Amino acid sequence: MPQIVPQIPPAPVVMPAPTPPLDPLLVLQMALRNYLLAAESGNSQAQNHLGFLFERGQAVAQDLETAVKWYAKAAAQNDPLGIYNLGRMLISGRGVGQDINKAVSLLTSAAEMNVASAQLQMALLHELGIGVPASQELALFWLKQAAELGEPTAQNKLGIKLMRGEGGAVDVPQAMEWFTRAAEAGNAEAQVNLGLILKEGLADVPADPARAANWFALAAGQGNTPAMPKLAAMYEQGLGMPKNLREAVYWYYRAAEAGHAPSAGRLGWLHETGALGRPDPALARLWYQQAAKAGDIDAQNNLARLDKAKPGKR
């Protein structure tokens, strides 16, 4: 007879217990201890991190003077970020006495070491003439340097200068390129700028309402208030997308709640005229009042008109 080999049942598979998530504050405190050890040993990167934690009050009580101390230690080692951070604190006088000349010297050094944030700061200083000669040309120069390093804010500001011809000749194609690069990196202001240009078009840029609406939607989705009423108007008019009053009201409402008075006035108009269904003068009045209180002239006029139309005032 064939020999019967007993079947050994497989060992049960025991799933390991899930590791509980770490408390974010505990993680920061652990990082703080590690940074402190490294910083005291002379690690400039750790010194910068410590300065950041003390400046922001993360894992420790906010202490701007201590933040400056650690930034200064990093800067003393010729660390580019340490130099930039120390210059940034000196120019604002946070945690240290304000010293514009020393700040400009440090920021210039950091900018020349290809710290994009320092280059952006230098552009602003030259634009305003703070501690350096006022110069649109030098502002444009430093914006280009930061933009080439991929700094989205600089890319957007560079696009604006190229559109206006500030510091150089007007260059719409280049401006569009920089706006696009910034917008694709998530810069909401650049997204709005692209939307504005594409909605109406320019001599060198054909109108494209659908793309304009898309950029407005991306910016509004990030909470950019100026984009919200523009997106709402696109929905209301059916421009570049199917008409959708529900979405229009939603974005007008978001903008109004963020303090955009004309959006509150527009909500009043939509409720007064019955564009959303039955006219609702009471709700229209509430929106007009909110807009009028914020100084919107059209809302003030509409509110006065409603007051005149009250029974007994005709």
Side-chain angles (χ1 to χ4, degrees), residues 12-20:
V13 177
V14 179
M15 298 297 293
T19 304

Side-chain angles (χ1 to χ4, degrees), residues 6-293:
Q7 297 294 315
I8 301 174
V13 177
V14 179
M15 298 297 293
T19 304
L22 291 175
D23 181 351
L25 180 59
L26 179 60
V27 172
L28 277 175
Q29 290 172 340
M30 292 169 61
L32 177 66
R33 287 195 293 271
N34 291 332
Y35 287 143
L36 187 58
L37 289 171
E40 289 176 342
S41 299
N43 184 291
S44 63
Q45 185 177 5
Q47 291 166 346
N48 266 314
H49 280 300
L50 269 182
F52 178 84
L53 292 176
F54 278 105
E55 181 182 355
R56 297 297 180 89
Q58 294 182 356
V60 291
Q62 186 181 47
D63 188 333
L64 296 180
E65 291 183 2
T66 300
V68 168
K69 181 192 79 171
W70 286 114
Y71 288 148
K73 286 181 179 293
Q77 298 190 68
N78 209 35
D79 181 272
L81 285 178
I83 294 170
Y84 163 67
N85 285 323
L86 181 58
R88 181 172 55 80
M89 301 297 276
L90 281 165
I91 205 161
S92 63
R94 298 173 66 238
V96 65
Q98 188 179 49
D99 188 331
I100 300 294
N101 291 333
K102 186 175 180 181
V104 167
S105 176
L106 289 167
L107 290 170
T108 302
S109 295
E112 290 172 347
M113 297 167 82
N114 284 332
V115 177
S117 297
Q119 294 168 343
L120 181 60
Q121 184 72 58
M122 288 304 300
L124 177 63
L125 293 177
H126 279 293
E127 189 164 1
L128 299 176
I130 297 176
V132 293
S135 170
Q136 290 292 342
E137 291 77 14
L138 286 173
L140 186 69
F141 168 80
W142 284 118
L143 283 178
K144 283 182 178 178
Q145 301 303 306
E148 291 287 358
L149 289 174
E151 216 294 330
T153 300
Q155 292 170 342
N156 178 59
K157 290 183 178 296
L158 178 57
I160 293 171
K161 286 197 172 295
L162 290 169
M163 288 291 292
R164 295 174 177 171
E166 295 176 350
V170 171
D171 192 333
V172 175
Q174 275 291 302
M176 289 296 291
E177 180 181 336
W178 287 115
F179 282 143
T180 301
R181 288 174 65 172
E184 289 176 346
N187 184 280
E189 291 182 9
Q191 292 167 347
V192 172
N193 287 333
L194 277 177
L196 290 170
I197 294 168
L198 291 168
K199 180 185 175 186
E200 305 294 341
L202 291 173
D204 300 322
V205 183
D208 191 337
R211 287 178 63 203
N214 181 64
W215 286 120
F216 287 147
L218 288 172
Q222 293 190 68
N224 181 277
T225 300
M228 294 175 186
K230 294 175 175 58
L231 178 60
M234 302 287 273
Y235 274 119
E236 184 183 356
Q237 300 165 21
L239 185 60
M241 59 176 68
K243 186 173 181 177
N244 188 326
L245 287 179
R246 184 183 296 273
E247 284 291 327
V249 167
Y250 171 77
W251 287 111
Y252 281 135
Y253 175 81
R254 288 279 305 273
E257 289 298 292
H260 188 256
S263 289
R266 191 62 187 170
L267 285 170
W269 178 257
L270 291 172
H271 284 294
E272 182 189 358
T273 59
L276 307 175
R278 296 177 61 182
D280 191 336
L283 189 53
R285 178 183 297 278
L286 289 175
W287 284 115
Y288 285 148
Q289 286 173 338
Q290 178 174 324
K293 186 177 180 180

